[in-house]
Amino acid sequence: GRNFADDDALRVGLADELADAAGFVDHCLLRLEEFMEKDSYALVSTKQALRHEILERMKAHERERMGGWLDGWFSEATRARMRELAAGLIKPR
């Protein structure tokens, strides 16, 4: 994985839209209200239907891939990178 900034995240489909920092919280709250107005059963059912095929393919190979995934996730290199990323999230005082 790699990090994508702004327009690159939009281009590759990782983000649907961008919001200005000044109105970010208000924008997020408006989007949240939109989701809260939807019927939760219909929303969940639709999402499950859209993702069903890919989830079934992932589940079919889960056991054979889990060991390698765990080895990578808990490797020292990955843990060092996670510490580095987490440190970057902390704002200096």
Side-chain angles (χ1 to χ4, degrees):
R2 65 176 250 236
N3 294 325
F4 291 84
D6 304 341
D7 292 328
D8 290 334
L10 287 172
R11 184 178 47 78
V12 299
L14 291 175
D16 293 323
E17 64 181 311
L18 300 175
D20 290 327
F24 182 74
V25 172
D26 291 335
H27 180 77
C28 290
L29 291 173
L30 286 173
R31 293 289 288 146
L32 181 60
E33 286 178 17
E34 290 176 28
F35 282 105
M36 290 173 51
E37 291 173 0
K38 297 183 184 308
D39 175 48
S40 61
Y41 180 79
L43 186 65
V44 168
S45 297
T46 301
K47 294 292 185 183
Q48 286 175 336
L50 290 170
R51 296 178 174 128
H52 176 75
E53 185 178 326
I54 190 68
L55 289 174
E56 288 303 311
R57 282 192 282 156
M58 289 171 67
K59 288 177 187 176
H61 300 283
E62 192 172 75
R63 284 188 184 269
E64 66 194 57
R65 295 179 179 161
M66 186 59 67
W69 183 85
L70 287 170
D71 289 345
W73 184 254
F74 290 103
S75 72
E76 185 50 42
T78 299
R79 295 173 60 80
R81 179 68 179 138
M82 288 191 308
R83 285 190 295 272
E84 180 182 316
L85 289 169
L89 296 173
I90 299 171
K91 293 182 180 182
R93 294 182 186 196

